[in-house]
Amino acid sequence: MLDKDRELVERIQNPESRNAAFRELMSLYQEKLYSHIRRMVGNHTDADDVLQNTFVKVYRHINKFKGDAKLYTWLYKIASNEALTYLNKETKMRSVTFEPQHAKTGFRPGPDGEEIGHKLKQAIATLPEKQRQVFDLKYFEDLKYEEIAEITGTSVGGLKASYYHAVKKIEAFLTH
Amino acid sequence: MSTDHDKEKEYLEELAPSIFKKKIQSNEKPPEGYFDTLGDRVMNRIDAENSHRQNMPEKKAVKLVNWKNVGVAAAIAAVIATAQFFYMYTQQDDPVAEKSEISIPQDFGSTTVEDYLSEEDIYEAFAASDIRAGEILTDEEIIEEEIIIDYLLQEDLSEELIIEELES
């Protein structure tokens, strides 16, 4: 764990500085966690719910955080679990609502304009939840396999297989 | 010399050129000002949950086994068992009980029953039962019947006729 993260966690674990330090943690990680959750759940309203739940959980369990793992992998783990729990609940009730095609894609326009970004979003939405999680953490967040293994609790070999499967499916979606 | 990372990059570019030749950047933006208020909203939720927890009545620890009640139940059971034991013990030794009307002598047999019951009672008992007349035969009657059957057989009468005759 980085020194600044350790110091931040210690301040959160101290009742006197808890709230101020926790606000600091939120402002440090909110954008990254939001992007990850948003890509997982597909729309802003649900991403907001899941992100709030994530931070409430972090606040409740920060005393159990011993610093064996990196702070951001621990945060991603909670965020990922919250997103997956939400997706499981949602799929039981109805299919996940990804924002409509005409909505802003959220992907930066490449040489082919927004088209490829929009198609990629659609392709990601077709992936099973676990593959979506792995693809997101690797492709967009650019985490190492070892870090993703820590977050997902899966072996590195299993993760690579899952990632390649996801990539293959996305390519097939984009080229057909 | 190419590293594992480079090899994987090459492999992925071959596997999915659409997304690996040029990496697509994601930039999922929330509505304007969203992050400015997020911290406050999360802290408000935490405070609300904390005060809700504090207002909740303290849960009483429920003992699975109340040893006081178990002791009382055991004492009552012991008293009942002791009373029953003494009752049975006194019944066995009671000379009055041996002579009572319901005491049954060990050499109780059919003659004893006949001594106790009048002839009229026996007839009434048979009448009330399902025993049909003719099913209870005296030894003499059984012998008589055998003689009749032998006689009929000697007369070369068919078996069916004899059965018919006996049943009529």
Side-chain angles (χ1 to χ4, degrees), chain B residues 119-154:
Chain B
E119 206 175 333
E120 205 179 320
D121 291 335
I122 296 168
Y123 287 137
E124 271 178 22
F126 277 121
S129 72
D130 286 337
I131 303 164
R132 283 176 293 155
E135 276 185 355
I136 300 167
L137 301 171
T138 60
D139 288 351
E140 289 86 351
E141 282 170 337
I142 290 164
I143 292 161
E144 258 180 49
E145 201 170 42
E146 280 170 359
I147 292 164
I148 293 163
I149 291 164
D150 286 343
Y151 171 77
L152 291 171
L153 287 169
Q154 276 168 15

Short mmCIF file of all heavy atoms in Angstrom, two decimals, chain B residues 119-154:
data_model
loop_
_atom_site.label_atom_id
_atom_site.label_comp_id
_atom_site.label_asym_id
_atom_site.label_seq_id
_atom_site.Cartn_x
_atom_site.Cartn_y
_atom_site.Cartn_z
N GLU B 119 -76.17 -70.48 33.75
CA GLU B 119 -76.39 -71.09 32.45
C GLU B 119 -77.06 -70.11 31.49
O GLU B 119 -76.73 -70.03 30.32
CB GLU B 119 -77.29 -72.31 32.63
CG GLU B 119 -77.09 -73.34 31.55
CD GLU B 119 -77.90 -74.60 31.83
OE1 GLU B 119 -78.17 -74.88 33.02
OE2 GLU B 119 -78.26 -75.26 30.86
N GLU B 120 -77.96 -69.32 32.06
CA GLU B 120 -78.70 -68.35 31.26
C GLU B 120 -77.76 -67.31 30.63
O GLU B 120 -77.89 -66.95 29.46
CB GLU B 120 -79.71 -67.63 32.18
CG GLU B 120 -80.90 -67.09 31.43
CD GLU B 120 -81.87 -66.41 32.39
OE1 GLU B 120 -82.08 -66.94 33.49
OE2 GLU B 120 -82.39 -65.35 32.02
N ASP B 121 -76.76 -66.90 31.44
CA ASP B 121 -75.78 -65.90 30.94
C ASP B 121 -75.01 -66.46 29.75
O ASP B 121 -74.74 -65.76 28.78
CB ASP B 121 -74.79 -65.52 32.05
CG ASP B 121 -75.47 -64.73 33.16
OD1 ASP B 121 -76.49 -64.10 32.84
OD2 ASP B 121 -74.97 -64.74 34.29
N ILE B 122 -74.65 -67.73 29.81
CA ILE B 122 -73.87 -68.35 28.73
C ILE B 122 -74.68 -68.37 27.44
O ILE B 122 -74.20 -68.02 26.38
CB ILE B 122 -73.42 -69.77 29.12
CG1 ILE B 122 -72.45 -69.68 30.32
CG2 ILE B 122 -72.75 -70.48 27.96
CD1 ILE B 122 -72.16 -70.99 30.99
N TYR B 123 -75.98 -68.76 27.54
CA TYR B 123 -76.84 -68.78 26.35
C TYR B 123 -76.97 -67.39 25.74
O TYR B 123 -76.90 -67.21 24.53
CB TYR B 123 -78.23 -69.33 26.69
CG TYR B 123 -78.23 -70.83 26.93
CD1 TYR B 123 -78.93 -71.40 27.99
CD2 TYR B 123 -77.54 -71.68 26.04
CE1 TYR B 123 -78.93 -72.77 28.20
CE2 TYR B 123 -77.53 -73.04 26.27
CZ TYR B 123 -78.22 -73.59 27.34
OH TYR B 123 -78.20 -74.92 27.53
N GLU B 124 -77.12 -66.41 26.63
CA GLU B 124 -77.24 -65.01 26.14
C GLU B 124 -75.98 -64.58 25.39
O GLU B 124 -76.04 -63.93 24.36
CB GLU B 124 -77.47 -64.06 27.32
CG GLU B 124 -78.93 -63.90 27.65
CD GLU B 124 -79.16 -62.99 28.86
OE1 GLU B 124 -78.26 -62.18 29.17
OE2 GLU B 124 -80.22 -63.10 29.47
N ALA B 125 -74.85 -64.99 25.94
CA ALA B 125 -73.57 -64.63 25.31
C ALA B 125 -73.45 -65.26 23.93
O ALA B 125 -73.04 -64.62 22.98
CB ALA B 125 -72.41 -65.10 26.20
N PHE B 126 -73.88 -66.53 23.81
CA PHE B 126 -73.83 -67.18 22.49
C PHE B 126 -74.79 -66.53 21.52
O PHE B 126 -74.48 -66.35 20.35
CB PHE B 126 -74.15 -68.67 22.62
CG PHE B 126 -72.96 -69.48 23.03
CD1 PHE B 126 -72.96 -70.25 24.19
CD2 PHE B 126 -71.81 -69.48 22.23
CE1 PHE B 126 -71.86 -70.99 24.54
CE2 PHE B 126 -70.70 -70.22 22.60
CZ PHE B 126 -70.72 -70.99 23.76
N ALA B 127 -75.97 -66.18 22.04
CA ALA B 127 -76.99 -65.55 21.18
C ALA B 127 -76.49 -64.21 20.63
O ALA B 127 -76.75 -63.85 19.49
CB ALA B 127 -78.28 -65.35 21.98
N ALA B 128 -75.75 -63.49 21.49
CA ALA B 128 -75.25 -62.18 21.08
C ALA B 128 -74.08 -62.29 20.11
O ALA B 128 -73.78 -61.36 19.37
CB ALA B 128 -74.82 -61.38 22.31
N SER B 129 -73.40 -63.43 20.11
CA SER B 129 -72.22 -63.58 19.25
C SER B 129 -72.62 -63.94 17.83
O SER B 129 -73.79 -64.18 17.54
CB SER B 129 -71.30 -64.66 19.82
OG SER B 129 -71.91 -65.90 19.63
N ASP B 130 -71.59 -63.97 16.93
CA ASP B 130 -71.84 -64.28 15.52
C ASP B 130 -71.85 -65.79 15.24
O ASP B 130 -71.99 -66.21 14.10
CB ASP B 130 -70.75 -63.65 14.66
CG ASP B 130 -70.97 -62.15 14.59
OD1 ASP B 130 -72.12 -61.73 14.82
OD2 ASP B 130 -70.00 -61.42 14.35
N ILE B 131 -71.69 -66.60 16.28
CA ILE B 131 -71.60 -68.05 16.06
C ILE B 131 -72.95 -68.58 15.61
O ILE B 131 -73.98 -68.36 16.26
CB ILE B 131 -71.16 -68.78 17.36
CG1 ILE B 131 -69.82 -68.20 17.83
CG2 ILE B 131 -71.07 -70.27 17.14
CD1 ILE B 131 -69.48 -68.54 19.26
N ARG B 132 -72.94 -69.29 14.45
CA ARG B 132 -74.21 -69.80 13.93
C ARG B 132 -74.54 -71.14 14.55
O ARG B 132 -73.63 -71.90 14.92
CB ARG B 132 -74.10 -69.97 12.40
CG ARG B 132 -74.19 -68.67 11.66
CD ARG B 132 -73.98 -68.91 10.20
NE ARG B 132 -72.61 -69.33 9.93
CZ ARG B 132 -72.26 -70.05 8.88
NH1 ARG B 132 -73.17 -70.48 8.03
NH2 ARG B 132 -71.02 -70.39 8.69
N ALA B 133 -75.80 -71.37 14.62
CA ALA B 133 -76.24 -72.66 15.19
C ALA B 133 -75.72 -73.78 14.29
O ALA B 133 -75.72 -73.66 13.07
CB ALA B 133 -77.76 -72.70 15.24
N GLY B 134 -75.28 -74.86 14.87
CA GLY B 134 -74.77 -75.97 14.06
C GLY B 134 -73.27 -75.97 13.97
O GLY B 134 -72.65 -76.98 13.67
N GLU B 135 -72.66 -74.79 14.23
CA GLU B 135 -71.20 -74.74 14.17
C GLU B 135 -70.60 -75.28 15.45
O GLU B 135 -69.47 -75.74 15.47
CB GLU B 135 -70.73 -73.31 13.94
CG GLU B 135 -70.74 -72.93 12.48
CD GLU B 135 -70.17 -71.58 12.20
OE1 GLU B 135 -69.83 -70.86 13.17
OE2 GLU B 135 -70.06 -71.24 11.03
N ILE B 136 -71.37 -75.16 16.49
CA ILE B 136 -70.87 -75.72 17.76
C ILE B 136 -71.56 -77.07 17.95
O ILE B 136 -72.76 -77.15 18.17
CB ILE B 136 -71.18 -74.79 18.95
CG1 ILE B 136 -70.49 -73.44 18.70
CG2 ILE B 136 -70.73 -75.40 20.25
CD1 ILE B 136 -70.96 -72.36 19.62
N LEU B 137 -70.79 -78.06 17.81
CA LEU B 137 -71.36 -79.41 17.89
C LEU B 137 -70.72 -80.16 19.06
O LEU B 137 -69.53 -79.98 19.33
CB LEU B 137 -71.09 -80.18 16.59
CG LEU B 137 -71.65 -79.56 15.31
CD1 LEU B 137 -71.12 -80.31 14.10
CD2 LEU B 137 -73.16 -79.57 15.32
N THR B 138 -71.52 -80.96 19.71
CA THR B 138 -70.97 -81.80 20.78
C THR B 138 -70.24 -82.97 20.13
O THR B 138 -70.41 -83.23 18.92
CB THR B 138 -72.09 -82.34 21.70
OG1 THR B 138 -72.93 -83.10 20.86
CG2 THR B 138 -72.85 -81.22 22.35
N ASP B 139 -69.42 -83.69 20.89
CA ASP B 139 -68.66 -84.84 20.35
C ASP B 139 -69.60 -85.87 19.75
O ASP B 139 -69.33 -86.42 18.68
CB ASP B 139 -67.82 -85.47 21.46
CG ASP B 139 -66.67 -84.56 21.81
OD1 ASP B 139 -66.46 -83.55 21.06
OD2 ASP B 139 -65.98 -84.82 22.81
N GLU B 140 -70.72 -86.12 20.43
CA GLU B 140 -71.68 -87.11 19.96
C GLU B 140 -72.24 -86.72 18.60
O GLU B 140 -72.37 -87.54 17.71
CB GLU B 140 -72.84 -87.28 20.97
CG GLU B 140 -72.48 -87.95 22.26
CD GLU B 140 -71.91 -86.98 23.31
OE1 GLU B 140 -71.65 -85.79 22.99
OE2 GLU B 140 -71.72 -87.41 24.43
N GLU B 141 -72.54 -85.39 18.49
CA GLU B 141 -73.12 -84.90 17.22
C GLU B 141 -72.13 -85.06 16.06
O GLU B 141 -72.51 -85.40 14.95
CB GLU B 141 -73.51 -83.44 17.37
CG GLU B 141 -74.82 -83.26 18.11
CD GLU B 141 -75.11 -81.80 18.47
OE1 GLU B 141 -74.16 -81.00 18.55
OE2 GLU B 141 -76.29 -81.48 18.67
N ILE B 142 -70.84 -84.77 16.37
CA ILE B 142 -69.82 -84.90 15.31
C ILE B 142 -69.74 -86.34 14.84
O ILE B 142 -69.69 -86.63 13.65
CB ILE B 142 -68.45 -84.40 15.83
CG1 ILE B 142 -68.50 -82.86 15.99
CG2 ILE B 142 -67.32 -84.77 14.87
CD1 ILE B 142 -67.39 -82.29 16.84
N ILE B 143 -69.77 -87.27 15.82
CA ILE B 143 -69.69 -88.70 15.46
C ILE B 143 -70.90 -89.10 14.62
O ILE B 143 -70.79 -89.75 13.60
CB ILE B 143 -69.58 -89.58 16.73
CG1 ILE B 143 -68.20 -89.31 17.38
CG2 ILE B 143 -69.73 -91.07 16.42
CD1 ILE B 143 -68.13 -89.74 18.84
N GLU B 144 -72.07 -88.63 15.02
CA GLU B 144 -73.31 -88.94 14.29
C GLU B 144 -73.22 -88.51 12.83
O GLU B 144 -73.55 -89.23 11.93
CB GLU B 144 -74.49 -88.22 14.96
CG GLU B 144 -75.32 -89.14 15.83
CD GLU B 144 -76.47 -88.39 16.47
OE1 GLU B 144 -77.19 -87.66 15.73
OE2 GLU B 144 -76.61 -88.51 17.68
N GLU B 145 -72.70 -87.33 12.63
CA GLU B 145 -72.60 -86.78 11.28
C GLU B 145 -71.67 -87.64 10.42
O GLU B 145 -71.96 -87.91 9.26
CB GLU B 145 -72.07 -85.34 11.35
CG GLU B 145 -72.41 -84.55 10.12
CD GLU B 145 -72.10 -83.07 10.29
OE1 GLU B 145 -71.02 -82.74 10.86
OE2 GLU B 145 -72.92 -82.25 9.87
N GLU B 146 -70.54 -88.08 11.03
CA GLU B 146 -69.60 -88.92 10.29
C GLU B 146 -70.25 -90.24 9.86
O GLU B 146 -70.04 -90.72 8.75
CB GLU B 146 -68.36 -89.21 11.13
CG GLU B 146 -67.38 -88.03 11.11
CD GLU B 146 -66.27 -88.17 12.12
OE1 GLU B 146 -66.26 -89.18 12.87
OE2 GLU B 146 -65.42 -87.26 12.19
N ILE B 147 -71.06 -90.79 10.77
CA ILE B 147 -71.75 -92.07 10.47
C ILE B 147 -72.70 -91.89 9.29
O ILE B 147 -72.74 -92.71 8.37
CB ILE B 147 -72.51 -92.58 11.72
CG1 ILE B 147 -71.49 -92.99 12.80
CG2 ILE B 147 -73.44 -93.75 11.39
CD1 ILE B 147 -72.09 -93.14 14.19
N ILE B 148 -73.40 -90.71 9.31
CA ILE B 148 -74.36 -90.44 8.23
C ILE B 148 -73.64 -90.35 6.89
O ILE B 148 -74.05 -90.92 5.90
CB ILE B 148 -75.16 -89.15 8.51
CG1 ILE B 148 -76.07 -89.36 9.73
CG2 ILE B 148 -76.00 -88.73 7.32
CD1 ILE B 148 -76.60 -88.09 10.35
N ILE B 149 -72.49 -89.63 6.92
CA ILE B 149 -71.74 -89.45 5.65
C ILE B 149 -71.25 -90.79 5.13
O ILE B 149 -71.38 -91.10 3.93
CB ILE B 149 -70.57 -88.47 5.87
CG1 ILE B 149 -71.10 -87.05 6.11
CG2 ILE B 149 -69.63 -88.44 4.66
CD1 ILE B 149 -70.11 -86.08 6.70
N ASP B 150 -70.71 -91.61 6.05
CA ASP B 150 -70.23 -92.95 5.64
C ASP B 150 -71.34 -93.76 5.01
O ASP B 150 -71.17 -94.40 3.98
CB ASP B 150 -69.66 -93.71 6.85
CG ASP B 150 -68.31 -93.13 7.24
OD1 ASP B 150 -67.71 -92.41 6.40
OD2 ASP B 150 -67.87 -93.37 8.39
N TYR B 151 -72.51 -93.68 5.67
CA TYR B 151 -73.67 -94.43 5.20
C TYR B 151 -74.05 -93.99 3.79
O TYR B 151 -74.24 -94.82 2.90
CB TYR B 151 -74.86 -94.24 6.17
CG TYR B 151 -76.16 -94.79 5.63
CD1 TYR B 151 -76.39 -96.20 5.65
CD2 TYR B 151 -77.13 -93.97 5.10
CE1 TYR B 151 -77.56 -96.69 5.14
CE2 TYR B 151 -78.30 -94.48 4.60
CZ TYR B 151 -78.53 -95.86 4.61
OH TYR B 151 -79.69 -96.35 4.09
N LEU B 152 -74.10 -92.70 3.63
CA LEU B 152 -74.51 -92.16 2.32
C LEU B 152 -73.50 -92.55 1.23
O LEU B 152 -73.87 -92.85 0.09
CB LEU B 152 -74.64 -90.64 2.39
CG LEU B 152 -75.82 -90.13 3.22
CD1 LEU B 152 -75.73 -88.61 3.42
CD2 LEU B 152 -77.16 -90.48 2.55
N LEU B 153 -72.21 -92.57 1.61
CA LEU B 153 -71.19 -92.94 0.64
C LEU B 153 -71.31 -94.41 0.25
O LEU B 153 -71.11 -94.78 -0.91
CB LEU B 153 -69.79 -92.66 1.18
CG LEU B 153 -69.39 -91.18 1.25
CD1 LEU B 153 -68.10 -90.98 2.05
CD2 LEU B 153 -69.23 -90.59 -0.15
N GLN B 154 -71.65 -95.25 1.27
CA GLN B 154 -71.82 -96.68 1.01
C GLN B 154 -72.98 -96.93 0.06
O GLN B 154 -73.00 -97.87 -0.72
CB GLN B 154 -72.06 -97.43 2.33
CG GLN B 154 -70.77 -97.76 3.05
CD GLN B 154 -71.02 -98.24 4.47
OE1 GLN B 154 -72.14 -98.58 4.84
NE2 GLN B 154 -69.96 -98.27 5.27
#
